[in-house]
Every structure is written in C-alpha cells, then in structure tokens.
Amino acid sequence: MYIATVPNRNSPPAILLRESFREGGKVRPRTLANLTSWAPERIEALRRALKGEFDGLSGDLPPTCGPIFAVLFVLKQLADRLGLTRVLGKERRAKLALFLVLVRVAAQGSRLSAVRWAANHAVAETLGLERFDEDDLYAALDALAPRQTQIEETLYRVSRRQTGLSPTVVLYDVTSSYFEGECNELAAFGYNRDKKAGKAQIVIGLVTTGQGEPLAVQVFDGNTADPLTVPAQVETLRTRFGITEVVFVGDRGMIKRTGKTALAAAGSKYITALTTPQIRKLLREGVLRPEWFTPYVYEVPHGPVRLVLRRSEAVRRKAHRRRHDKLAKLHALITARNAFVRTAKRAQPDAGLRTLQAWVTRYKLAGWVQLSLQEGAIIVTVDEAAQTEASRFDGCYV
C-alpha cells in the first residue's frame, strides 16, 4: 500500500490510499480510501508507517491502551437523540449531570464509583469534562434538583413533538430505597422492598408513557402506602402535562379505593385486577358466574366499570403443580420428623407438630391440610373438598 497525490485541476489534489496488484502481467493500482479530508500531519504519519519507519518500535516500548471510548460515545448519541443533552444545558454542572445519567446506564454504583469509572473512559473527549471528584457530582445533583419540573416538562414537549400525540396510556409503578444514615427529611420506616429491617427509606413513584418514556418521578415519605401516591400522580398528569384523557394501569396493590376515587374525580380511566376475595364476593352476589371463566375473554358490565374475565390454563396448571409439590414436600418433612422421633429418646413430638403447623400456614395449605398427633407420630389429613374449592379459581383473572 502507498499514498498517492492526484492533481485535481484548479482544486486541491486528492490524497488517496492505494495498493498495487498484478493483472494479466501488468501492475495496476486500486484505491482503498480517500484521505483528502485528513489533516496533513495524520497523512504524513500514515505515509511513514507504510514505509516501515516505525518498524521495531513495538519491541522497545511497552504496549499502551487509551481510555475506553465506545460505550460513552454511544450513550451520548442516545442522549442527544432524546433531547436530554439540550435540556440539561452546556455549563459544567449540566455536563456532570449528563455524565451521572450515562454512567448510571453503563455501570450502576455510587458517586465515588462513578469517579473511578471515569478514570478509564473517554469522559473528557466525549463530554468535554476535565477532572472532577464525587463532591463535584453531588454539587451537580444539588443544582439539578430545583430544575426537575422544568426538565421533565421540556422532555415531555420533545417527546410529544416526535410522536405528535399526547399519551393515552400511562404506566405507573412505585419502589423504595433504604438509607444507612439518618439525615433525610423524607426517610421513614415503612414496607421495605429491600428486606432491610430497621432501615428508614423513601418511596419513589415513576410515571411513563405506554412506550416506557419517562414523564415524571416523585419522592414520597418512606411510610407512604402505594395507593396513596396515585392522587398526586393524577394531579401531575392533569396540571403539568395537560393530559386529560388517561387510562391508568395498575396492579391489585396500586389502584385501591383511594386511587379509584382520585381517578374518577379527575375523569380518568383505569385498568386494574381484582383480588381473589373480591372475585368470590362477586360470585356470591351473582355478578359473576364460574362458567364465564374460560380461555377466552368474557366481558360483564357492572355499574360504572367493565369486568373482563379470563382463565389462563398455563397459570392454572402451574398452580396445580405448586400445590402438589408443597404437599409432597410436607409428606417428606413429616416422614423425616417421625423417623427422628422414633430414634431419639429426648425428641418432643409436640415441638415437631408446632414447627410443621407453622410450615403449613406459611405455605398457605392450612385451609385444606390438618396435622395431628397419634401416639407420638404426626398424621396429615387432606380435606379433598376444601382442596377442590381452593383450586377452583386457579388461573382466573378479573
């Protein structure tokens, strides 16, 4: 290969990367790339490399590796496309905030771990950020907080311009985050999803469109129940985003009486599921009938709501297998306990009975399984009728 300079009349000459090949006894050139747009020093470096002037240097110098470039570059392009870069701004703290978003996607961790991650990635080359530490990142978050509402509304306008429509399906979910420290005005003791007993927490609610585009995020006191967060989010949709026709989708624990009242007052629709006790109550009242639960969707008007019924055969079979496996496990535990009692002189049959009764309760078998003692041995009794009734609505949804 070699670099050729080709005159181009009144224009600057074309700089081409070529190679020679033989065809029919003649030597012909083949153009591999046009290097005209390259800087002169870059072209000269390639020319010298092709001539072999750098041969042998690799044996004298240790191999080096520059900062990792691709992952941050790709995430930056996505942020540009979503409008996030423009919304945050161009000042240093805005770039630090953008870095926090991108590093959260690439490598979840603390602010300190983000600083360590930046040491190996092309942050300066991609984002134009020079050296920073975790204190700079926390300061960027402090500066970002007062602008949250403005940023969310601007991103919503960008998303609406791209789609041309206001969302008619809004998805909402709640999570929590616990704290090791004590200095947080919203931290409180509540239902801890992280299973961290004795840790205060905050509750976080996220609203997105049906396609998963985030609309707003709000932080609540750590002892706020999930349904109590719904009215605030409904008000957010109405006042900040002007979304008046909404279908709010939530699970059984999300949209309860308080949430339904707030949604109805706002004129919003919702989709949620009924609990098994609620389904059984409607069956007793004659609103629903068992034969309506089939693999096909069945719809029943009921006052201001529509009840949509269906039985999932896959879920029904799974529930049947789980119930069978639990019963088999219980028999195995009873056999092992009875064998222990027969061979151990100090064994206490009552203690084993209490332990296994607690196991039956924990695994929700108490409605149709009874345990008793007969001459020191644990006996299990299965109420077949109660078992049939317990499995009657496996896989049924309303």
Side-chain angles (χ1 to χ4, degrees), residues 368-383:
W368 48 278
V369 171
Q370 297 295 325
L371 300 181
S372 59
L373 278 178
Q374 292 184 9
E375 298 180 355
I378 300 176
I379 304 299
V380 59
T381 304
V382 177
D383 187 336

Side-chain angles (χ1 to χ4, degrees), residues 3 39-49 51 53-54:
I3 294 178
E41 56 271 16
R42 192 178 181 191
I43 295 174
E44 180 60 26
L46 179 58
R47 191 194 307 273
R48 294 178 61 188
K51 289 182 178 180
E53 294 184 15
F54 302 137

Side-chain angles (χ1 to χ4, degrees), residues 111-279:
R111 306 295 85 76
L112 180 58
S113 69
V115 174
R116 293 168 178 165
W117 185 88
N120 298 319
H121 290 74
V123 178
E125 295 82 353
T126 306
L127 303 180
L129 274 175
E130 299 303 329
R131 292 177 59 86
F132 57 86
D133 57 22
E134 61 274 17
D135 292 334
D136 296 323
L137 296 180
Y138 281 114
L141 289 175
D142 290 338
L144 199 63
R147 299 177 53 206
Q148 177 181 342
T149 300
Q150 175 254 326
I151 291 172
E152 290 175 346
E153 293 175 357
T154 304
L155 286 174
Y156 170 67
R157 289 194 296 269
V158 172
S159 175
R160 186 173 177 180
R161 282 198 300 270
Q162 293 175 350
T163 60
L165 298 171
S166 297
T168 55
V169 176
V170 173
L171 303 179
Y172 178 61
D173 202 4
V174 172
T175 187
S176 59
S177 180
Y178 75 93
F179 285 88
E180 294 290 352
E182 300 177 354
C183 299
N184 188 294
E185 60 187 54
L186 296 178
F189 294 101
Y191 171 64
N192 197 301
R193 295 168 178 82
D194 300 308
K195 308 301 181 185
K196 294 287 186 178
K199 300 293 183 182
Q201 64 175 16
I202 58 172
V203 172
I204 308 163
L206 173 66
V207 181
T208 77
T209 66
Q211 291 71 39
E213 294 283 347
L215 292 175
V217 62
Q218 187 170 349
V219 180
F220 302 89
D221 290 334
N223 56 1
T224 305
D226 292 2
L228 298 181
T229 67
V230 174
Q233 302 298 355
V234 173
E235 187 65 18
T236 294
L237 295 174
R238 293 180 58 212
T239 58
R240 289 179 48 196
F241 301 112
I243 302 175
T244 56
E245 186 175 358
V246 167
V247 178
F248 205 98
V249 182
D251 59 23
R252 296 172 179 85
M254 180 66 67
I255 304 181
K256 293 188 177 180
R257 183 177 302 173
T258 302
K260 291 176 181 178
T261 302
L263 290 166
S268 301
K269 301 176 179 64
Y270 62 86
I271 297 175
T272 188
L274 300 185
T275 62
T276 299
Q278 289 173 324
I279 294 175

Side-chain angles (χ1 to χ4, degrees), residues 76 85 88-102 123-124 126-130 132 136-137 140 144 147:
K76 171 66 162 50
T85 307
L88 291 176
K90 298 181 179 180
E91 63 273 12
R92 174 175 168 81
R93 284 189 174 178
K95 294 179 180 179
L96 288 170
L98 177 62
F99 167 75
L100 281 171
V101 174
L102 304 186
V123 178
T126 306
L127 303 180
L129 274 175
E130 299 303 329
F132 57 86
D136 296 323
L137 296 180
L144 199 63
R147 299 177 53 206

Side-chain angles (χ1 to χ4, degrees), residues 32-109:
L32 301 177
N34 190 331
L35 310 180
T36 306
S37 61
W38 283 26
E41 56 271 16
R42 192 178 181 191
I43 295 174
E44 180 60 26
L46 179 58
R47 191 194 307 273
R48 294 178 61 188
L50 293 175
K51 289 182 178 180
E53 294 184 15
F54 302 137
D55 292 352
L57 290 181
S58 59
D60 301 329
L61 298 177
T64 59
C65 179
I68 301 170
F69 172 76
V71 59
L72 201 58
F73 176 80
V74 171
L75 292 175
K76 171 66 162 50
Q77 299 304 308
L78 291 175
D80 293 343
R81 190 180 306 172
L82 294 173
L84 183 61
T85 307
R86 180 167 54 83
V87 170
L88 291 176
K90 298 181 179 180
E91 63 273 12
R92 174 175 168 81
R93 284 189 174 178
K95 294 179 180 179
L96 288 170
L98 177 62
F99 167 75
L100 281 171
V101 174
L102 304 186
V103 75
R104 189 68 181 172
V105 176
Q108 295 77 22

